[in-house]
Amino acid sequence: MSTATASQASASTAKKSGGFTGKAANYLDERTSISGAVKEFGRKVFPDHWSFLLGEVALFSFVVILLTGSFLTFFFQASMAEVHYDGSYVPLKGVEMSIAMASTLDISFDIRGGLLVRQMHHWAALLFVASIGLHMLRVFFTGAFRKPRELNWVIGFVLFILAMAEGFTGYSLPDDVLSGNGLRIIDGIIKGIPLVGTWISFLLFGGEFPGTAIVGRLYTLHILLLPAILVLFLALHLVFVIVHKHTQYAGPGRTEKNVVGFPILPVYAAKAGGFFFIVFGVIALIASFFTINPIWNYGPYDPSPVSAGTQPDWYIGFADGALRLVPPHWEFVLFDRTWSFNILAPLIIIGIFIVLVLIYPFIEAWITGDKREHHILDRPRNAPTRTAIGAAGVTFYAAMWAAASSDLIATHFHLTMEGVIHALQAMLILGPFVAYFITKRVCLALQKKDREIALHGFESGRIVRLPGGEFIEVHEPLDEYERWRLVSFESHAPVILRPNAEGKITNKARLRSALSRWFFEDRIAPATKKELESGHDGH
Amino acid sequence: MFTKKKRQDSAAKRGRRHPLANVALIAIGLIATGGAYAGISSATAQTESTVVSQASVEDGEKLFQANCATCHGFNLEGSDEAPSLIGVGAAAVDFQVGTGRMPMQAHNVQAPEKPVQFTDDQISSLAEYVASVAPGPAIPEEQYLDADGDAANGAELFRINCAMCHNVAGAGGALTEGKYAPSLMGVSEAHIYEAMITAPQNMPVFNDMNLSPEDKRDIITALKFMENEVSVGGHPLSSLGPVAEGLFIWIFGLGSIIAVTVWITAKSN
C-alpha cells in the first residue's frame, strides 16, 4: 500500500522525497501511466454504514472459497470408477465406492489439514450465498436498484443464481448418499418436464441415472465453467459499483451529486483489508469447531438407500420445499404422456418468482414513471409499497424454505408432518398478502410518527402546568441535523391518466395508471418547510 | 397450641394410648411391608438365575394383570384399544417395557420412549409370563450383542434397510400423521436387536431370513460405533445435516459477521 500512496503523490513529489518507494513509483508510472488510475480509484469515496459491507462479505467469502477450493482440487479425483476404500476410516474399510468418494474421505482423514480446508470450503460457500441474499435484501429495501443501477441489480441476481449453481454442483461431487439423493431429485425434476425431460436427463447423466459420468461433468462445471462466468460477472458488478459511485443514506450535506465518506486510500482500504481477515477468521473458526457434511456418516452413494431427513444445502431448500408443498394427485395422463404437474407447478412458480425478482427494477421504474437518477437511498418506511412487496416476497420464499425442513419441524416440535405441510401451504398462499398489508400499514404508521416528530419534536416526558390550569407535555424540538433525516425524502404522486398524442387512452396507460395508484395512493408527505416553521406552537 | 394441650389432656385422662402411638404404629407397618417386599423381590432375583421358573412366571402374570390387562386383556387376547400379545414373545415385552414405551402413557399415534417403570426383574418376569402363554421371539443371545462385528458391513446394511426412516446417522426421522422413527443413539444393544425381530409400532420385521443374526450384530456394531465415535469435524450439530448447518450459518455465522460490520463502521467517539 505504501507504493500505491507514493505513486499517487506522482512524479514531481517523488523527485523531492526520493527514496526507494518514490523511485519505484516513478518507474512504474513512467511505463504504465498508472498514477491517473490510482488517483481516481484511490480517491473513490465509500460511505460508512454496516449494511454497505454485506456485499464485501460475499466477495471475501468467495475469495476464501477460491483459496480452499484450489487446495481441494489438488487431492479430489472426479471419477466414478469403483474402488474398495482402503483409507484410515475403519467403518468404511473395504466398502465399494467411487474414487470421488474415496478421495473425499482421503481429504478428510488422510491429508494433513484436509478436513479443515474441506469444512472451510463448505462453510464459506454457505456464508457466500447467505451474504449475497442479505446484500440483495438491503439493496431491495433501500431502493438502491433504481436508475442508474438497474443493470447492476440484474448482474447481482445472476451472481446469486450462479452461486447457487456452484453450490449445488459442489454438493454433488463427493458422491455420498446425501448428495446422491439430491441428484436423484434433480433427475426426477428434469424427467418431469414433458417431451424433452427424459432426453435431457440421459444427456446430462450420460445414460440412465446415476451412470458413471455425472461427477466428472459436474466437476468441470464446478471448477471451470461456473467460476469463470462468476468471476466475469463479479468483475462487471464491481466495475459498475465504481462507475456509479456508492449510494448513501440521506443526511445533512449528502446530496444526489456527492458521496460523503472515506476515500479508498488509505482509510477504506485498511478497513476492508482488515475486514477480509476477520471474515476469513470467522470462517476458519466455524470450520474448526463445527462439523459440516460428514460424508463418512452418510456412506457411499448407491441408488437403493434413501436417508430420512435428506435436505439440500440451505440455498436450494426453497426449491425442495416447493416440491414438498404440492398437493397430491397433480399428475395425469394426456395424449399418451404423463403430465407431472406435481413437478411442473413448482418449476413454473419458482421460474415466475425468479423472473419477477430479476426484472423488479424495471417494473417499478415503469409503474412510477421515475426516470431520474437516484444516489440517495430510501429508508424502507418511506417507500411503503415497495417495502410491503418485499415483505410479501420474503414470506413467500420463507414458506418454501421452511417446507424443505417439514420433517424436522414435525419431529422436533411434536407435530404431524401433514399439519406442518398444510400450515406452510396456507402460509405460501395467504402469508404474502398478510405480510403485504401489515408491512404497508407499519410503514405508513412509522412515517406518520416521523412527521409528527419533525413537526412537534419528541416527547420530553416533562409535564408542565400552565397558569390557566392546563397541563401540557413539553416537546423538545429536534436539531437541524436530526430533522433533515426525517424530512428529506420524496413523496411521489400517482401517474395521472392522460390521453396520448393521438388523444386516445390506451389500455397500457390505464394499467400503468392503476398500478401507479396502487403504488402511491397511500402516502404520507414529508413535512414541508412552511409546516415546519409554523409547527413550533409552544409545545 | 391450645387444641394440642386439650388433646393431650384427654389422652392422659383416658390413659390408654401414648401420644406417639399412632406414629409408632405407622412406622411398624411401613417397615413390615417394606421388609416383606424387599424379601420377596430378592427372592425373585434369586429365582431368575434358573431359566424359567414357575414362581417368576406367576409374578409376571400378577404384574401383567395389574398393569397391562386393562388394554391387552386378561388372556393376552387384546382389545379395541390394544393388540393381542399372543405369540409376541419375550423379546417384544423386553423391548416395549424395557424402553418405557409400555405401559403407555396416553393413547396417541405412537408410544414414546419414557423412563422405565419396572425393575429389570419385573420386566423379565413379565417377559417370561408372556412367552409362557405362546411361543414367540426370545430375548437375543449375548453373543450377538457384543457390538464387535463388522462395522463396515453393518453400516451398509443400515443404509439400505434402516436409513430411510432412521436417517443415515441414526438421528431419527418423521413418518406420516405424527408418527416418527426415533433416534437410535443411546439405545441398548439388546433393544436394537429386539426391535428388529419384533417390529414395534411402525417398524417392519427384519427376521433371520433377510438379516441373519450376524448381520444384526454388524448393524448393532455400526450403530454403537456411530454413537461412541469422536466427531472428527467438531461439534456435530445433532447430526441433522444441511438444515442445522443452514440455520447455524445464518444465525451464528452471518450474525457474528454483521456484529463485526457494525463495529467497523461505528463512529469513533
Side-chain angles (χ1 to χ4, degrees), chain A residues 240-293:
Chain A
F240 270 120
V241 170
I242 292 174
V243 168
H244 290 146
K245 310 270 184 296
H246 210 287
T247 52
Q248 57 189 342
Y249 287 101
R254 297 177 180 186
T255 68
E256 293 283 8
K257 304 228 181 291
N258 69 4
V259 189
V260 178
F262 291 104
I264 286 194
L265 292 173
V267 177
Y268 198 79
K271 274 192 176 186
F275 189 42
F276 167 73
F277 289 105
I278 291 177
V279 172
F280 194 109
V282 168
I283 292 170
L285 272 180
I286 291 176
S288 319
F289 289 111
F290 297 93
T291 310
I292 190 163
N293 199 20

Side-chain angles (χ1 to χ4, degrees), chain A residues 291-525:
Chain A
T291 310
I292 190 163
N293 199 20
I295 48 156
W296 51 93
N297 278 349
Y298 304 147
Y301 183 63
D302 84 78
S304 52
V306 177
S307 168
T310 295
Q311 270 97 5
D313 274 341
W314 77 260
Y315 41 83
I316 307 288
F318 76 103
D320 189 36
L323 287 172
R324 294 187 189 203
L325 286 179
V326 182
H329 311 305
W330 276 22
E331 197 174 71
F332 54 87
V333 176
L334 189 73
F335 304 125
D336 203 24
R337 302 211 174 263
T338 308
W339 300 83
S340 300
F341 270 85
N342 47 356
I343 285 167
L344 287 177
L347 269 188
I348 294 167
I349 290 170
I350 289 175
I352 292 173
F353 181 69
I354 285 177
V355 170
L356 280 179
V357 178
L358 181 73
I359 62 169
Y360 181 80
F362 306 102
I363 301 177
E364 192 186 297
W366 182 70
I367 293 176
T368 58
D370 190 351
K371 293 196 169 56
R372 293 164 305 164
E373 289 204 354
H374 291 277
H375 299 289
I376 299 274
L377 296 172
D378 279 331
R379 292 173 87 197
R381 68 183 63 171
N382 290 335
T385 309
R386 180 201 302 141
T387 306
I389 290 172
V394 168
T395 313
F396 186 77
Y397 181 91
M400 294 196 287
W401 195 19
S405 51
S406 55
D407 53 334
L408 291 176
I409 296 175
T411 49
H412 282 73
F413 296 102
H414 301 287
L415 302 164
T416 67
M417 188 116 96
E418 290 82 352
V420 173
I421 290 286
H422 288 317
L424 288 172
Q425 282 169 336
M427 184 179 161
L428 184 78
I429 308 294
L430 302 175
F433 292 98
V434 175
Y436 176 87
F437 285 109
I438 292 178
T439 310
K440 190 161 181 182
R441 290 299 129 190
V442 167
C443 284
L444 290 170
L446 286 170
Q447 275 189 293
K448 269 188 187 164
K449 192 197 84 182
D450 281 356
R451 193 183 146 85
E452 194 66 26
I453 291 176
L455 285 177
H456 302 294
F458 56 89
E459 295 164 355
S460 65
R462 195 157 67 88
I463 310 289
V464 173
R465 190 179 183 189
L466 297 183
E470 181 192 3
F471 285 97
I472 60 157
E473 182 180 9
V474 177
H475 283 227
E476 300 271 0
L478 290 174
D479 66 61
E480 291 283 312
Y481 294 98
E482 281 293 313
R483 194 187 301 133
W484 178 255
R485 250 165 37 82
L486 297 184
V487 298
S488 65
F489 66 93
E490 290 168 349
S491 168
H492 297 270
V495 178
I496 295 160
L497 189 57
R498 284 205 187 88
N500 63 9
E502 292 162 26
K504 282 182 190 155
I505 294 176
T506 59
N507 283 336
K508 199 176 151 195
R510 255 182 241 281
L511 175 69
R512 183 177 170 188
S513 157
L515 286 172
S516 178
R517 255 205 320 284
W518 163 62
F519 229 83
F520 293 130
E521 200 165 38
D522 299 322
R523 64 183 186 281
I524 308 288

Side-chain angles (χ1 to χ4, degrees), chain A residues 35-59:
Chain A
S35 66
V38 172
K39 197 171 171 185
E40 179 67 21
F41 186 73
R43 294 269 172 84
K44 188 180 156 43
V45 168
F46 271 102
D48 242 2
H49 191 271
W50 69 267
S51 69
F52 296 158
L53 294 183
L54 294 171
E56 261 173 54
V57 178
L59 178 67

